[in-house]
Amino acid sequence: SLGLTVKRGGSADVPDEAAAQLLEQGWLDGDEVPTTVDEVKAWVGDDPGRATVALAAEKAGKDRKTLVDWLTGLIDTNQADQATNEGA
């Protein structure tokens, strides 16, 4: 444990395993966890941090290919944009 303080409402890119641990540790309230594809997309919006958390949850749960592809695409696009901005 690193003893870090987490700012609610922020986002961060984390490995799938870390995101799954955050879910297991209750960082999302049960009533906040979306279940349908449309609910997940609405909850994620364009936030890559939420996409990472949702992707880990999806892979650990229903593992719906279309949703996994959408989440992965959002994360990949964000990482590509960051790399472009860092190289500019």
Side-chain angles (χ1 to χ4, degrees):
S1 172
L2 297 175
L4 300 174
T5 302
V6 177
K7 179 181 173 189
R8 284 285 209 185
S11 65
D13 292 326
V14 295
D16 290 347
E17 298 81 22
Q21 288 177 350
L22 291 172
L23 287 169
E24 290 171 9
Q25 293 172 9
W27 287 97
L28 288 176
D29 296 328
D31 59 348
E32 291 181 13
V33 178
T35 56
T36 69
V37 171
D38 288 340
E39 287 174 347
V40 172
K41 287 183 175 183
W43 181 78
V44 168
D46 63 354
D47 184 329
R50 282 190 171 198
T52 301
V53 171
L55 181 61
E58 188 62 24
K59 285 183 176 180
K62 295 181 181 178
D63 200 20
R64 295 168 282 200
K65 181 179 177 2
T66 55
L67 184 55
V68 167
D69 290 348
W70 183 81
L71 292 166
T72 302
L74 186 101
I75 294 165
D76 290 347
T77 298
N78 179 266
Q79 289 174 347
D81 289 349
Q82 285 180 349
T84 300
N85 290 340
E86 289 172 5

